[in-house]
Amino acid sequence: AYIMANNRNIHPMLDAARAAGFKFHNLLVWDKVTGTPNRWYMKNCEFTGLFYKGKARSINECGSKACLRYQHEDESNHPTEKPVALMEHYILNSTNPGDIVIDPFMGSGSTGVACAKTGRKFIGIELDAGHFQTSVNRVARACLDAQERLI
């Protein structure tokens, strides 16, 4: 399981994962290239906890680094949108074509778009109706693009 958090939510993320029976494997860093100005240090990174249950599996590309640099994207109206390329990296490293990826907080649908581009099945859940519709539209376009590439 990949769980994303900012610097203030790392401890709650670890606690919640542990309470749900997950074991901590690694803390990954997304360097967003640009920063969010504030009174202290500009926040230019977010964190991803990598967790597992049962026997830990190796990632598919063992040469992958823990710090990944992808430009922050604004392709939707979601305030915490993730780059499709970042989600593709995580998906390609932890799944195989045809596997099912579940995103219980799908936001703008970046994970679903990445699944369409990489040949994975996708289940997404989003409470906000507006963001849900944005996700549906983005994933549908990505699926059509993927089908056109196959033809």
Side-chain angles (χ1 to χ4, degrees):
Y2 290 87
I3 302 174
M4 304 182 100
N6 62 20
N7 62 318
R8 292 177 180 242
N9 291 305
I10 291 174
H11 288 289
M13 170 186 65
L14 292 169
D15 293 342
R18 204 171 295 121
F22 285 93
K23 295 178 183 167
F24 176 73
H25 191 286
N26 205 342
L27 185 64
L28 309 174
V29 178
W30 165 37
D31 176 354
K32 301 191 285 187
V33 183
T34 57
T36 305
N38 63 61
R39 299 184 311 173
W40 298 283
Y41 290 95
M42 286 180 50
K43 296 181 192 276
N44 66 317
C45 62
E46 289 186 23
F47 303 94
T48 304
L50 176 57
F51 300 91
Y52 66 97
K53 280 188 176 184
K55 186 176 187 276
R57 296 184 339 191
S58 297
I59 58 174
N60 294 332
E61 180 55 55
C62 294
S64 295
K65 297 195 167 64
C67 182
L68 301 168
R69 184 179 192 138
Y70 291 99
Q71 183 75 39
H72 180 261
E73 298 173 354
D74 281 319
E75 295 182 20
S76 75
N77 60 346
H78 197 277
T80 61
E81 182 175 346
K82 306 300 185 271
V84 171
L86 174 66
M87 305 319 291
E88 279 184 55
H89 180 84
Y90 291 155
I91 288 165
L92 288 171
N93 249 346
S94 298
T95 65
N96 296 308
D99 283 353
I100 300 171
V101 174
I102 299 172
D103 186 349
F105 309 98
M106 80 175 160
S108 66
S110 296
T111 302
V113 172
C115 286
K117 292 176 78 172
T118 60
R120 275 62 173 178
K121 297 173 185 169
F122 176 68
I123 298 172
I125 302 166
E126 176 57 49
L127 291 175
D128 183 282
H131 294 314
F132 179 80
Q133 193 57 56
T134 297
S135 298
V136 168
N137 294 341
R138 287 184 75 206
V139 173
R141 277 193 309 273
C143 288
L144 288 173
D145 291 345
Q147 285 178 343
E148 288 175 7
R149 283 193 304 273
L150 294 174
I151 296 174

